Amino acid sequence: MTSAPGEKLPELYVAVDVEADGPIPGPYSMISLGMAVAGRPDLTFYTELKPISDDVVPAALAVSGLDRDRLLREAPTAGEAMAAAANWVNGLRRIGRPVFLAAPAVWDGMFVHWYFVRFVGHSPFGATGSGVDLRSFWMGMTGGEWVATRKGIIKHQLGLTDVPHTHHAGEDAAELAQVFDAARRRRAGWAAAGERAEPT
């Protein structure tokens, strides 16, 4: 559904999750990418990627459970995967204005922005690839300290203890989208009631 002519489109918070086989892009590879729109569980994207280097940190690879040899044989190239991801993000512009969201935005954003610029030429999230970090959002919302903003704590505060974190990029993007949507609803409820957020 598109908006009427002249109507300002709403922001769409695109929760992004990355699995990688090392700590930084370039020397190491992003091996899967998931995206999901907060408040719109029907809008999701997932791809695996062929590794771009021979270097790998076994412990990092083990987190995802992905078979690197299978990815080398079967996964789309980084160029193909990132072009598909950019097309998906840009397709959202029919209904809203995509905004990058991650937890943490620094780590996931580092991989996603580097890959978009390297393999597509630019990021659909803008020249800096900047966006929303869940923990920073929660700090601002509650006035709490950084130590109280781990995702598990946030999920507990929101009553989302049955929402798992699986280290599958698609599932974890959907998890983040659900958490952020619940956080925004909580904040809106506080605002409507004229309440002040209490630090967690």
Side-chain angles (χ1 to χ4, degrees), residues 84-167:
N87 287 339
W88 183 82
V89 174
N90 286 326
L92 296 174
R93 298 185 190 284
R94 296 179 295 102
I95 59 171
R97 296 173 287 142
V99 177
F100 181 88
L101 162 68
V106 172
W107 195 84
D108 294 273
M110 171 177 61
F111 274 92
V112 170
H113 188 64
W114 190 93
Y115 263 74
F116 272 133
V117 173
R118 174 66 179 83
F119 295 105
V120 179
H122 61 278
S123 171
F125 293 110
T128 64
S130 61
V132 180
D133 176 78
L134 176 66
R135 295 183 68 171
S136 300
F137 179 87
W138 192 257
M139 281 183 71
M141 177 175 148
T142 64
E145 294 185 335
W146 178 255
V147 70
T149 62
R150 292 193 305 274
K151 192 191 295 180
I153 294 174
I154 296 173
K155 287 163 67 172
H156 178 76
Q157 293 286 332
L158 294 170
L160 298 176
T161 53
D162 60 339
V163 179
H165 185 81
T166 64
H167 294 291

Side-chain angles (χ1 to χ4, degrees), residues 47-61:
T47 187
E48 295 172 353
L49 300 89
K50 193 183 300 293
I52 61 172
S53 80
D54 294 330
D55 293 333
V56 59
V57 176
L61 177 63

Side-chain angles (χ1 to χ4, degrees), residues 7 9 32 42 49 52-54 68 80 82 113 123 140 146 153 159 181 184-185 192 200:
E7 180 182 348
L9 293 173
S32 62
D42 56 313
L49 300 89
I52 61 172
S53 80
D54 294 330
R68 200 170 190 273
E80 293 167 340
M82 298 314 292
H113 188 64
S123 171
W146 178 255
I153 294 174
D181 185 54
R184 293 184 72 232
R185 290 176 184 275
T200 55

Side-chain angles (χ1 to χ4, degrees), residues 13-16 34-38 40-41 43-45 88 101 170 173-175 177:
Y13 298 98
V14 182
V16 179
M35 295 188 282
V37 177
R40 290 291 304 269
L43 296 177
T44 62
F45 175 91
W88 183 82
L101 162 68
E175 173 210 18

